[in-house]
Amino acid sequence: MTENKKHAQIQSLLVGFSIIDLIAKNGSPMKFNDIHHFTNIAKSNLYKYLNTLTNLGVLHRDKGSGLYSLGSTLIQYGMAAVNQEDLIGKITPFLHEINAKSKETTLLAVWTTNGPMIVKMIHSHLGLNLGGQVGTILPISSAAGKLFATFKNDPSVNVWKESELSKLSKQAKDELITEFQLIADQKISFAQEALAPSIASAAIPIFNFEREILGSIIVVGFEKSIPDTIEHELSEYLLMKGKEISAVFGWKEE
């Protein structure tokens, strides 16, 4: 085999993966024109690549905004690669239970190098889209983001926290750091308007036997229907379910 044949590559695959890599590293959904700007791919060809990747589920195109983000197929591959499929399978029945109890959109988020990412979603009984979807990377100001910032011990988390906190004013940063201390004690977090205006969320961590955070379950809805204190009935229910789910992964209460 000649040296050239040994290292032969399919150019179209390289181009396709360069688009995926760009969107993944961007950390938020991208416009067509922004993808064109950064890739410099001819628009006619870029349309073909994006349509193909979207049809395969590797990318997702929001019908309303037209923004492109990572799709469910790619996320499934990623979860399989990091052995998260078992995690999703075990937690999904609990998501349905929480969804039935709260009647609100219920999400599962896990850690990625880009930040907490939604990997499972069960819509509210009204079927509302509340600003997130599978593949969405959540900000540090979100309920799940606060949990990972508080409990996740990993070098990639420190990089993410530093980047996220740098976007905030000094007052907002100080308030958030203070909130992390409260979350560490209460094992539940709350957020308002982190995903969309008038939308609130409450989240609980899922721990393993080593007391490491594996994921976060989030309940999302309009502000009036989502608790913002630990004393709320739904908060107490979520804390109870958090302990029950964590026990499945070997966690034991101290």
Side-chain angles (χ1 to χ4, degrees):
M1 182 181 293
T2 66
E3 190 68 18
N4 286 339
K5 288 183 178 180
K6 180 191 265 187
H7 297 288
Q9 299 182 30
I10 300 175
Q11 187 63 30
S12 59
L13 283 177
L14 295 176
V15 174
F17 272 98
S18 71
I19 296 171
I20 297 168
D21 187 62
L22 171 66
I23 295 174
K25 290 181 177 178
N26 188 61
S28 60
M30 298 185 69
K31 297 178 181 178
F32 175 89
N33 286 340
D34 290 335
I35 298 172
H36 174 255
H37 171 75
F38 286 108
T39 62
N40 204 30
I41 300 170
K43 287 188 175 182
S44 59
N45 288 334
L46 182 57
Y47 275 118
K48 295 176 183 177
Y49 277 107
L50 291 174
N51 286 339
T52 300
L53 293 170
T54 300
N55 289 336
L56 292 171
V58 175
L59 295 181
H60 170 80
R61 182 179 183 275
D62 186 271
K63 292 181 179 179
S65 65
L67 296 175
Y68 290 89
S69 58
L70 298 183
S72 58
T73 299
L74 189 63
I75 293 162
Q76 289 171 10
Y77 293 158
M79 291 302 99
V82 295
N83 298 316
Q84 293 283 13
E85 285 289 355
D86 188 50
L87 173 71
I88 297 173
K90 288 181 177 178
I91 292 180
T92 294
F94 294 103
L95 287 178
H96 283 286
E97 289 181 23
I98 295 170
N99 178 262
K101 172 72 174 180
S102 66
K103 297 181 174 57
E104 303 292 345
T105 297
T106 310
L107 314 171
L108 171 64
V110 300
W111 179 255
T112 73
T113 54
N114 291 324
M117 183 176 70
I118 298 172
V119 295
K120 185 74 177 180
M121 169 181 283
I122 301 173
H123 290 286
S124 71
H125 287 207
L126 297 176
L128 300 173
N129 184 343
L130 300 177
Q133 62 188 20
V134 171
T136 296
I137 299 293
L138 300 170
I140 198 170
S141 58
S142 67
K146 294 174 185 178
L147 286 179
F148 283 100
T150 300
F151 294 112
K152 185 70 175 174
N153 184 18
D154 183 278
S156 63
V157 177
N158 296 330
V159 174
W160 171 74
K161 283 174 66 174
E162 184 177 344
S163 173
E164 289 285 294
L165 291 173
S166 69
K167 303 172 186 177
L168 305 177
S169 65
K170 184 180 185 305
Q171 180 180 348
K173 178 180 178 180
D174 291 342
E175 289 175 352
L176 196 55
I177 291 174
T178 299
E179 190 175 353
F180 293 158
Q181 298 171 356
L182 181 63
I183 292 169
D185 292 332
Q186 295 185 340
K187 307 296 189 296
I188 190 170
S189 64
F190 309 98
Q192 288 77 39
E193 301 192 341
L195 297 179
S198 301
I199 299 302
S201 57
I204 51 170
I206 304 302
F207 296 111
N208 65 9
F209 65 97
E210 295 178 315
R211 300 190 178 278
E212 296 176 343
I213 183 171
L214 296 175
S216 170
I217 291 179
I218 314 138
V219 176
V220 184
F222 292 109
E223 290 178 340
K224 64 180 181 179
S225 60
I226 300 298
D228 59 2
T229 66
I230 194 171
E231 292 81 13
H232 193 281
E233 179 185 354
L234 181 57
S235 297
E236 293 177 353
Y237 171 79
L238 290 173
L239 286 166
M240 178 191 71
K241 298 306 288 187
K243 293 178 181 179
E244 182 181 349
I245 301 167
S246 293
V248 172
F249 297 96
W251 173 88
K252 293 183 180 179
E253 190 169 8
E254 294 178 332

